[in-house]
Amino acid sequence: MVLPVAPQIESDMRNELNRFISFERFPPCNAYGLRLAQAGFFYTGCSEIVECFCCHRCYSRWNTDDVIFLTGRFMHAANCAFVLGTDRSNVLYTIAG
């Protein structure tokens, strides 16, 4: 069971850097926090469950036989605005320079 994320935390997860930071305590497995954050996911803090900031679909079925875990559309809801490219709330992490 996944507990709902507080509204303030949920809005903060629109920011890719915040999503990446959420993986600080992610259990060791073949999923990579940076790739998951780029794919719109943040770590819920519960078991190995990640959630999309946009469609709120959760995913936790990690295949430990894979060398590199691949993220993809299959992890999101079919109508996820982030995957469809229509979401305007995502904030990308960029390095100023």
Side-chain angles (χ1 to χ4, degrees):
M1 177 179 157
V2 178
L3 299 175
V5 178
Q8 178 61 36
I9 294 171
E10 184 175 325
S11 66
D12 289 347
M13 291 307 157
R14 294 176 301 184
N15 187 308
E16 189 174 277
L17 179 59
N18 290 344
R19 292 194 303 266
F20 176 63
I21 291 170
S22 76
F23 285 95
E24 182 178 65
R25 292 189 179 93
F26 191 60
C29 70
N30 286 346
Y32 296 102
L34 178 59
R35 291 178 70 183
L36 288 166
Q38 290 170 333
F41 289 92
F42 63 92
Y43 177 48
T44 64
C46 181
S47 187
E48 293 180 351
I49 301 170
V50 299
E51 180 180 337
C52 174
F53 81 95
C54 189
C55 67
H56 306 288
R57 183 161 182 196
C58 294
Y59 192 86
S60 63
R61 297 180 301 264
W62 309 112
N63 184 350
T64 56
D65 294 336
D66 291 342
V67 175
I68 297 175
F69 181 78
L70 301 175
T71 59
R73 289 179 174 251
F74 67 93
M75 295 175 66
H76 296 269
N79 63 346
C80 180
F82 177 76
V83 171
L84 296 175
T86 57
D87 174 72
R88 301 287 179 238
S89 65
N90 184 47
V91 179
L92 293 175
Y93 175 68
T94 57
I95 299 172

